[in-house]
């Protein structure tokens, strides 16, 4: 009989969907109505004396074999997880402040309003009144979102309401558990203890759910070509987290499942092929439909049982609940949401949106299930159980029958179902272009199928007329401000870029790790473009070219602890990122010319072209800076990209041959196995050698390369290799001099108030302050990636004391620089031209024997570098080759 009852419910649910569409009702409203009628009918059949023939099946509907705990365990994880998967999480972050306000703060406000309003007349403890408030504080996303999608309500309104519905279930259930614990004596009555318990349960659920979801996401690549296994893992995840959180971890199971769904939604697409991700979504949509419909139907069937014994006082209390709930929601929407805008914690919410949000607080299956759990709790008195269940059930019925049946008309009355002027203008322009293209395609198709011209003419004329009508309306697009049209184009570019990233991942050009980074970046580009227009787009596209905090930390490890590997990995990541970023930029330029220019016009396309050109220029500059320093690695990485492209082309050729029946499935599978082997072989990223070994850098430096090995070894012990990034400030004016720097490769710029000097390979900087004892007299900024050898002040003094010729040569370099900036250096020393040193008698006798330093003056080429600011430094080669890339580099250049 249970199977028959289940089949009857599924049949009813399937038939109610087209009926709800025909009647213009939300499916949840119709499910509640029909479920209530089923409950009434089953009760009558069970207790009537006329017949006992249907008692067995009626008993299943009146007393279902599932209690409230089982209903929550079976259906709630599915509903919460699927809703999290369908959310546009990155866009939802734009409205995080109003969503959290409606999801968390509104729950407490509604609980307090309802509880305090009922307490004087209810005749039950205040905690029981607050418990009812917590139960009815949960809104139903299924009913509201179904209405929004049916009439095409604004996407932002749908995101806010759906995000609120998802998260307020979590907040309300956590509060419900605490209040039930207080009523049954399992929790302390202290409000501080209750607040701490709420925070622990909520935060603990977020942490546990997020961590377990990350583990699950990391397992997805192991099932790369097994979509059924991926779906199975995604189904096991919410159930496992729900049980673990509720039974063992002592945190909110609802919060944990919601957090897991959000994390899975954020990082899952980067680990699953796009086709498999769409398949996963399709399966979840079907499972969620069954779960939402069944839980609503089962809860509605119990309504007659839950409202048994309703009396006039209950009607008065129900009116109080309705008024208090509406007032609490109005206080949050009209009183607290504007505060967020004042504090700039989120975008302002449109007044029309506020009206819909106020009237859209429908309650549903979760509220009914929580009310049923109160009825089934033996630790609660019959008086409290009846009070909570009757009023909660009555409130659900009111919201469904009143809010649910009028919400669609309200949205239409406010005009929220209509396109904005900008979208309407874009629609007509796109329609005109599309219909014209379709007309041409129909003409070609008619010729190919040998259809008579008189037959084809009728269809072509129909499309021609529609295209002409749309063209006549395209003047609306011209009426829009250029700023609005440019923003439309930039938003289209941002959305297109996100799709391109997924396409590159699908074609296996991007690794899972890289695609996560790119999806985050493209999401930020879209967000800032929508909020700030062109300036936001520029800011968002430039941000990834900057060096991140993680890169700076890796640089710190290399600089202070001589740990090179993290920096090498970061540089390799940057190389790969920049190359893909360039590919995306090229694709966007093509998209602008082919798609946006016909749609938005020449002026807008030219502005977008300039914006994209600037982006590409900055990207290419960053790539060339790396290529100059590591040309071998750049070649190896480009070789990898080409090989991966070859693999993709090979795979496509085999698939086309299979589709055309040129090869059979067995041969196709065998060829794909070869392709997979090649892909694995060429998919391994080459390792980047930083070339930061002190030994090689000292030997390659022109000041030291001619020294005997013993002297080089002594210098190596003093030197510390250092890696500098473009635009990094190495020395600042006014600082105490604590080190001198020898340039092994790359170039820096010395900036003073009066002049700018560029120094390259073989030069020294930072030594003037050490020699004069004064503070730094200039800023020194890296012009590109640089390999430096740093020497602290004490070691620098020891080195010069030990090698007088080196001291003389460094003094000569310093004197030349001081001459070029004599005006700004006068305040630091009486003789700004030549720093004075006192040589000991021992030093006088060993200059020629201990060190070999070229004493010739700088060459014409080197002087030109200083005076004209032209960098002559050559990039460092890898694998132990000469850092300059040539064997006859000048000894000094500054």
């Amino acid at each position: 009989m249970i199977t028959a009852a289940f089949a009857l419910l599924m049949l009813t649910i399937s038939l109610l969907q087209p009926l709800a569409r025909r009647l213009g009702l939300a499916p949840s409203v119709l499910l509640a109505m029909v479920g209530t009628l089923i409950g009434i009918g089953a009760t009558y059949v069970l207790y009537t004396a006329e017949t006992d023939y249907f008692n067995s099946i009626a008993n299943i509907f009146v007393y279902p074999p599932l209690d409230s705990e089982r209903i929550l365990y079976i259906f709630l994880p599915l509903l919460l997880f699927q809703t999290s998967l369908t959310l546009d999480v990155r866009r939802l972050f734009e409205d995080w402040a109003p969503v959290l306000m409606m999801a968390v703060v509104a729950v407490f406000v509604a609980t307090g309003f309802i509880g305090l309003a009922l307490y004087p007349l209810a005749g039950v403890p205040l905690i029981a009144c607050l418990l009812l408030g917590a139960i009815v504080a949960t809104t139903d996303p299924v009913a509201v979102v179904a209405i929004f999608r049916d009439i095409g309500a604004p996407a932002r309104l749908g995101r806010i309401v759906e995000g609120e519905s998802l998260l307020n279930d979590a907040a309300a259930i956590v509060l419900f558990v605490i209040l039930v614990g207080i009523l049954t004596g399992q929790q302390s009555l202290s409000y501080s203890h209750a607040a701490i318990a709420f925070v622990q349960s909520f935060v603990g659920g977020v942490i546990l759910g997020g961590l377990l979801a990350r583990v699950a996401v990391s397992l997805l690549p192991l099932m790369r070509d097994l979509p059924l296994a991926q779906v199975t893992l995604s189904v096991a995840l919410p159930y496992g987290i729900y049980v673990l959180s509720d039974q063992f971890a002592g945190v909110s199971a609802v919060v944990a499942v919601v957090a897991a769904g959000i994390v899975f939604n954020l990082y899952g697409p980067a680990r699953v092929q796009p086709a498999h991700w769409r398949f996963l979504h399709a399966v979840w949509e079907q499972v969620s439909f069954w779960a939402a419909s069944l839980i609503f139907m089962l809860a509605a069937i119990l309504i007659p049982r839950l409202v048994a014994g309703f009396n006039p006082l209950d009607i008065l209390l129900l009116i109080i609940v309705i008024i208090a709930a509406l007032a609490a929601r109005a206080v949050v929407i009209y009183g607290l949401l504007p505060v967020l805008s004042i504090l700039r914690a989120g975008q302002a919410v449109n007044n029309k949106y506020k009206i819909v949000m106020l009237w859209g607080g429908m309650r549903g299956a979760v509220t009914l299930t929580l009310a049923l759990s109160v009825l089934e709790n033996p630790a609660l008195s019959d008086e409290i159980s009846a009070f909570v269940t009757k009023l909660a059930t009555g409130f659900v019925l009111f919201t469904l029958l009143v809010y649910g049946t009028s919400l669609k008309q309200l949205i239409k009355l406010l005009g929220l179902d209509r396109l904005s002027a900008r979208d309407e203008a874009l629609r007509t322009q796109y329609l005109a272009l599309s219909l014209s293209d379709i007309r041409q395609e129909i003409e070609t198709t008619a010729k190919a199928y040998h259809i008579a011209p008189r037959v084809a003419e009728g269809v072509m004329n129909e499309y021609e007329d529609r295209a002409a009508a749309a063209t006549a309306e395209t003047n609306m697009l011209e009426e829009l401000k250029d700023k609005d049209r440019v923003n439309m184009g930039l938003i289209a570019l941002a959305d297109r870029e996100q799709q391109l990233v997924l396409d590159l991942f699908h074609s296996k050009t991007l690794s899972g790790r890289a695609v996560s980074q790119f999806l985050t970046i493209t999401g930020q580009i879209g967000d800032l473009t929508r909020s700030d227009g062109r300036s936001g787009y520029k800011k968002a596209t430039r941000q990834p070219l900057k060096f991140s905090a993680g890169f700076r930390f890796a640089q710190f490890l290399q600089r202070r602890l001589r740990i090179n590997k993290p920096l090498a990995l970061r540089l390799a990541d940057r190389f790969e990122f920049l190359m893909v970023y360039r590919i995306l930029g090229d694709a966007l330029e093509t998209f602008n010319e082919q798609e946006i220019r016909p749609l938005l016009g020449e002026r807008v396309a030219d502005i977008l072209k300039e914006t994209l050109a600037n982006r590409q220029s900055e990207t290419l500059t960053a790539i060339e800076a790396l290529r100059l320093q590591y040309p071998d690695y750049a070649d190896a990485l480009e070789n990898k990209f080409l090989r991966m492209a070859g693999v993709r082309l090979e795979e496509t050729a085999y698939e086309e041959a299979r589709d055309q029946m040129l090869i059979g499935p067995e041969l196709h599978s065998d060829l794909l196995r070869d392709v997979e082997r090649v892909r694995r072989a060429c998919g391994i990223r080459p390792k980047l050698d930083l070339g930061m070994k002190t030994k090689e850098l000292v030997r390659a430096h022109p000041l030291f390369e001619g020294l005997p090995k013993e002297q080089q070894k002594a210098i190596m012990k003093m030197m510390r290799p250092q890696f500098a990034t473009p635009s990094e400030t190495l020395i600042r004016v006014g600082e105490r001099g604590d080190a001198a720097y020898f340039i092994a490769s790359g170039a820096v710029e010395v900036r003073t108030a009066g002049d700018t000097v560029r120094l390259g390979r073989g030069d020294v900087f930072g030594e003037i302050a050490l020699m004069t004892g004064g503070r730094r007299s200039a800023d020194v900024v890296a012009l590109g990636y640089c390999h430096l050898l740093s020497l602290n002040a004490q070691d620098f003094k020891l080195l010069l004391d030990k090698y007088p010729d080196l001291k003389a040569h460094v003094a000569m370099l310093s004197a030349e620089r001081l001459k070029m900036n004599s005006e700004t250096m006068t305040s630091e020393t009486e003789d700004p031209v030549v720093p004075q040193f006192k040589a000991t008698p021992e030093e006088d006798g060993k200059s020629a024997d201990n060190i070999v330093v070229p004493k010739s003056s700088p060459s014409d080429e080197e002087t030109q570098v200083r005076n004209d600011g032209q960098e002559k430094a050559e990039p460092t080669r890898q694998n132990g080759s000469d850092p300059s890339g040539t064997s006859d580099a000048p000894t000094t250049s500054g």
Side-chain angles (χ1 to χ4, degrees), residues 802-858:
K802 189 172 182 180
Y803 303 118
D805 282 0
L806 180 61
K807 175 192 287 189
H809 191 71
V810 170
M812 179 192 70
L813 298 177
S814 304
E816 290 178 359
R817 211 168 306 135
L818 285 170
K819 286 179 181 179
M820 298 175 67
N821 195 36
S822 59
E823 294 180 1
T824 58
M825 292 293 295
T826 303
S827 60
E828 293 185 16
T829 174
E830 292 182 356
D831 183 4
V833 179
V834 182
Q836 300 298 317
F837 302 98
K838 292 184 179 180
T840 63
E842 291 80 8
E843 291 171 342
D844 292 339
K846 57 183 179 183
S847 60
D849 300 328
N850 291 308
I851 187 168
V852 179
V853 178
K855 297 182 179 180
S856 59
S857 60

Side-chain angles (χ1 to χ4, degrees), residues 708-724:
K709 291 184 178 180
E710 294 76 13
Q711 293 180 1
Q712 287 184 347
K713 288 180 180 179
I715 294 173
M716 290 173 197
K717 293 179 181 179
M718 300 180 183
M719 294 289 188
R720 181 182 293 272
Q722 183 169 319
F723 185 85

Side-chain angles (χ1 to χ4, degrees), residues 184-204:
T184 57
Q186 298 174 358
Q187 292 274 359
S188 170
L189 286 173
S190 168
Y191 289 106
S192 61
H193 289 170
I196 293 172
F198 180 88
V199 173
Q200 287 178 340
S201 182
F202 204 95
V203 175

Side-chain angles (χ1 to χ4, degrees), residues 700-827:
H701 196 282
L703 286 179
F704 312 122
E705 62 184 354
L707 297 179
K709 291 184 178 180
E710 294 76 13
Q711 293 180 1
Q712 287 184 347
K713 288 180 180 179
I715 294 173
M716 290 173 197
K717 293 179 181 179
M718 300 180 183
M719 294 289 188
R720 181 182 293 272
Q722 183 169 319
F723 185 85
T725 55
S727 302
E728 180 182 353
T729 301
L730 302 168
I731 287 178
R732 297 182 186 276
V733 172
E735 291 179 339
R736 285 263 180 212
D738 59 352
Y741 300 87
F742 298 80
I743 304 175
S745 69
V748 301
E749 192 170 69
V750 182
R751 300 172 180 173
T752 66
D755 201 359
T756 297
V757 180
R758 288 192 176 187
L759 307 178
R761 176 177 175 267
D763 280 328
V764 185
F765 65 91
E767 81 290 355
I768 295 178
L770 302 187
M771 292 177 169
T772 62
R775 292 183 178 271
R776 302 291 194 190
S777 59
D779 289 333
V780 180
V781 179
L783 294 176
Y785 294 94
C786 299
H787 288 168
L788 309 173
L789 289 164
S790 65
L791 199 60
N792 64 43
Q794 183 178 359
D795 288 340
F796 181 75
K797 184 177 183 304
L798 290 174
L799 181 66
L800 296 190
D801 289 344
K802 189 172 182 180
Y803 303 118
D805 282 0
L806 180 61
K807 175 192 287 189
H809 191 71
V810 170
M812 179 192 70
L813 298 177
S814 304
E816 290 178 359
R817 211 168 306 135
L818 285 170
K819 286 179 181 179
M820 298 175 67
N821 195 36
S822 59
E823 294 180 1
T824 58
M825 292 293 295
T826 303
S827 60

